[in-house]
């Protein structure tokens, strides 16, 4: 353990890092104010404002339980961080094939960029490698199972009930077993519900949560920064960090979806309350990236926003120092945290604004029958796939900002 790593419970930062961090925070606060001035008509809302972290109150049992629950969840992606097991996972990936596919795709992105007169392709080799992994994983490696087919005659099965795992199944991380009966031969089929990515890697089948579990681990095997994303409304997926675009990218390995954070509310009509991204680098409330409309946000009642912020920082302080022992890495991650916080708040402001405009246009159309709807908003809402949410064309000669290019596209 490094000598400067003795900060006890708090996240250790040396003085230099602290002063740079304070400066950054101050500048972000100013930028944030300026941003709000540009958008005075934005509906004030807590989720678009900076939040001061506060620990759960002594008598707030519900908030304390949520805290315990999230801390327990935060250990799941730490299971991936085992070099021997990651090596084993790597053996399963057809690296040469994926690498070649990635090469070819990068060339396509480069050609596309050239034809549009851009100097940078949209995605680099790193992201194309994950895209190739995603295709291989969904199409050839991992199988979605609802009712498992009969292993005797391959006929469909019907579920009978849940049963306890055998000692062997339990040793392989099964917490319970779904028992099915074959409709043709009557044989019983056991479907152990494994929790460990390592065991799921061996059985190569499962449901959405299992997809997210194994796929996130495989991204880690490729040494890509990856988050395991938990949604309170019973769904899980992955985020990977794109060095090329300097932002976290949504990846749903069960749906073979890349960078479509709005697919859940737009395509599925899914409403969500809490979406939390966990990794060895800590925890982040990323709900606002996925809830693309205030109507799709369910009440957040498990704790106050300040307490949630506190829990996110608590988890980050718990895990990050072990993986980011040096000041330089910690500073880089801190800058990313601040930038992502600004990004998510700005995104939410834009979401509220867009919703307001759509509702105003709908009301005007209802009043006047033929009066023109807000074409710009509706095109934004329904037109392009929800790639990235935030894309502002960057002039070729623009200075590279100190802060990653996460600044929102909306504004004056
Ligand atoms: Zn059968």
């Amino acid at each position: 353990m490094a000598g400067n790593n003795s900060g006890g419970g708090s996240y250790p930062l040396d003085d230099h890092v602290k002063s740079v961090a304070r400066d950054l925070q101050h500048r972000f606060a100013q930028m944030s104010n300026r941003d709000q001035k540009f958008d005075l008509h934005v509906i004030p809302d807590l989720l678009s404002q900076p939040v001061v972290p506060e620990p759960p109150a002594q008598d707030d049992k519900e908030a304390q339980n949520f805290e315990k629950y999230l801390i327990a969840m935060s250990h799941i992606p730490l299971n991936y961080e085992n070099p021997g097991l990651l090596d084993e996972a790597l053996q399963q990936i057809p690296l040469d094939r994926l690498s070649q596919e990635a090469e070819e795709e990068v060339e396509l992105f480069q050609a596309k960029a050239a034809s549009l007169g851009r100097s940078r392709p949209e995605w680099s080799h790193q992201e194309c490698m994950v895209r190739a992994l995603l295709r291989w994983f969904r199409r050839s490696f991992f199988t979605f199972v609802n009712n498992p087919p009969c292993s005797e005659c391959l006929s469909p099965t019907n579920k009978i009930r849940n049963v306890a795992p055998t000692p062997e199944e339990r040793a392989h991380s099964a917490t319970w077993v779904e028992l099915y009966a074959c409709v043709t031969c009557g044989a019983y089929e056991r479907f152990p519900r494994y929790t460990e990515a390592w065991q799921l890697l061996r059985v190569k089948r499962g449901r959405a949560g299992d997809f997210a579990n194994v796929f996130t681990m495989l991204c880690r095997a490729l040494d890509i920064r990856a988050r395991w994303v938990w949604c309170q409304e019973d769904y899980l997926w992955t985020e990977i960090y794109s060095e090329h675009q300097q932002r976290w990218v949504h990846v749903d390995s069960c749906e073979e979806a890349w960078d479509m954070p709005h697919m859940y509310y737009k395509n599925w009509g899914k409403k969500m309350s809490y979406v939390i991204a966990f990794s060895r680098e800590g925890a982040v409330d990323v709900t606002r990236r996925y809830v693309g409309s205030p109507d799709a946000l369910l009440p957040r009642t498990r704790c106050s926003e300040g307490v949630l912020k506190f829990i996110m920082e608590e988890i980050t302080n718990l895990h990050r120092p072990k993986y980011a022992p040096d000041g330089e890495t910690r500073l880089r991650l801190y800058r990313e945290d601040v930038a992502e916080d600004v990004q998510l708040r700005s995104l939410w402001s834009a979401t509220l604004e867009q919703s307001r405009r759509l509702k105003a246009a709908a009301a005007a159309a209802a009043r006047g029958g033929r009066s023109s709807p807000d074409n710009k908003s509706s095109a934004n809402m329904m037109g392009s796939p929800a790639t990235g949410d935030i894309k502002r064309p960057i002039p070729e000669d623009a200075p590279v900002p100190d802060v990653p290019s996460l600044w929102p596209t909306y504004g004056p």
Side-chain angles (χ1 to χ4, degrees):
M1 209 35 59
N4 62 350
N5 213 357
S6 54
S10 73
Y11 183 38
L13 292 169
D14 60 43
D15 287 344
H16 171 68
V17 173
K18 272 185 195 160
S19 81
V20 176
R22 261 197 302 270
D23 177 52
L24 255 178
Q25 202 164 21
H26 178 65
R27 281 169 46 203
F28 269 111
Q30 286 179 327
M31 283 166 131
S32 180
N33 287 338
R34 188 191 62 191
D35 202 58
Q36 283 162 20
K37 272 178 212 146
F38 283 151
D39 284 85
L40 288 175
H41 47 291
V42 167
I43 304 159
D45 186 286
L46 205 54
L47 291 180
S48 60
Q49 304 299 320
V51 173
V52 178
E54 53 177 355
Q58 296 256 313
D59 57 350
D60 190 347
K61 288 283 170 265
E62 189 171 0
Q64 286 167 16
N65 287 340
F66 194 39
E67 179 185 30
K68 278 184 205 144
Y69 181 73
L70 292 176
I71 290 174
M73 298 273 280
S74 76
H75 286 87
I76 289 174
L78 299 191
N79 292 335
Y80 311 147
E81 305 301 325
N82 176 327
L85 293 171
L86 283 180
D87 220 36
E88 195 185 311
L90 201 56
Q91 312 273 319
Q92 302 254 11
I93 303 174
L95 277 177
D96 289 345
R97 184 186 129 191
L98 299 191
S99 187
Q100 194 189 333
E101 274 185 43
E103 286 293 331
E104 288 166 8
E105 204 178 24
V106 170
E107 282 173 23
L108 289 178
F109 279 120
Q110 280 166 343
K112 194 176 161 194
S115 73
L116 295 169
R118 292 181 190 146
S119 61
R120 274 162 65 88
E122 185 176 8
W123 302 109
S124 73
H125 189 270
Q126 182 220 25
E127 296 88 9
C128 289
M129 196 67 193
V130 181
R131 288 163 59 90
L133 181 75
L134 176 66
R135 288 189 294 268
W136 163 78
F137 181 75
R138 183 65 183 95
R139 297 178 196 181
S140 335
F141 184 72
F142 210 75
T143 308
F144 187 87
V145 170
N146 217 348
N147 288 19
C150 171
S151 5
E152 302 292 325
C153 70
L154 301 178
S155 297
T157 58
N158 285 324
K159 188 173 177 187
I160 302 177
R161 62 177 181 275
N162 289 341
V163 294
T166 63
E168 197 194 345
E169 287 163 341
R170 195 184 299 277
H172 287 116
S173 83
T175 43
W176 80 91
V177 175
E178 293 174 6
L179 190 65
Y180 292 82
C182 174
V183 296
T184 307
C185 75
Y188 288 122
E189 185 68 31
R190 296 173 73 83
F191 185 33
R193 305 301 291 121
Y194 298 114
T195 54
E196 289 283 349
W198 314 108
Q199 179 59 16
L200 290 165
L201 191 68
R202 284 171 200 131
V203 298
K204 300 183 179 63
R205 67 175 188 177
R207 305 215 175 103
D210 305 322
F211 273 80
N213 201 352
V214 179
F215 185 78
T216 310
M217 193 250 298
L218 291 178
C219 289
R220 291 297 305 130
L222 290 180
D223 202 22
I224 284 159
R225 289 169 63 198
R227 288 168 165 176
W228 176 76
V229 183
W230 166 84
C231 168
Q232 166 148 291
E233 285 66 38
D234 201 25
Y235 201 66
L236 294 141
W237 57 90
T238 303
E239 283 184 352
I240 62 115
Y241 190 77
S242 162
E243 297 293 342
H244 185 68
Q245 291 208 8
Q246 302 267 291
R247 66 177 175 92
W248 289 94
V249 176
H250 157 254
V251 190
D252 186 326
S253 58
C254 193
E255 297 292 317
E256 203 185 309
W258 168 266
D259 198 20
M260 294 179 68
H262 287 172
M263 62 179 271
Y264 305 113
Y265 96 92
K266 250 188 214 177
N267 304 353
W268 299 3
K270 190 173 179 65
K271 296 188 175 190
M272 298 178 266
S273 57
Y274 295 101
V275 182
I276 312 289
F278 297 99
S279 73
R280 65 180 195 170
E281 294 166 10
V284 182
D285 169 24
V286 292
T287 312
R288 289 160 289 187
R289 182 172 293 138
Y290 296 95
V291 178
S293 157
D295 299 332
L297 181 73
L298 290 174
R300 287 155 64 97
T301 55
R302 299 196 66 171
C303 64
S304 74
E305 294 303 322
V307 167
L308 184 64
K309 182 88 179 164
F310 176 87
I311 298 169
M312 297 295 96
E313 292 188 357
E314 186 181 25
I315 291 171
T316 300
N317 291 338
L318 186 66
H319 302 316
R320 185 178 291 179
K322 190 171 164 197
Y323 296 103
D326 64 290
E328 199 183 323
T329 309
R330 292 204 302 273
L331 177 60
R332 180 172 54 77
L333 293 178
Y334 180 82
R335 285 181 178 199
E336 278 182 19
D337 290 346
V338 176
E340 191 176 21
D341 184 54
V342 172
Q343 179 206 25
L344 291 170
R345 285 193 280 111
S346 306
L347 187 61
W348 188 247
S349 295
T351 298
L352 293 176
E353 165 61 9
Q354 188 178 48
S355 164
R356 194 194 62 78
R357 278 197 306 201
L358 282 173
K359 280 178 183 160
R367 270 198 312 276
R370 289 265 138 212
S371 65
S372 67
D374 191 335
N375 288 327
K376 203 174 156 201
S377 310
S378 28
N380 265 345
M381 188 78 176
M382 307 307 296
S384 60
T387 50
D389 308 307
I390 290 179
K391 291 220 187 81
R392 180 170 59 182
I394 299 167
E396 298 289 327
D397 57 349
V400 177
D402 197 17
V403 169
S405 53
L406 296 167
W407 208 244
T409 47
Y410 77 98

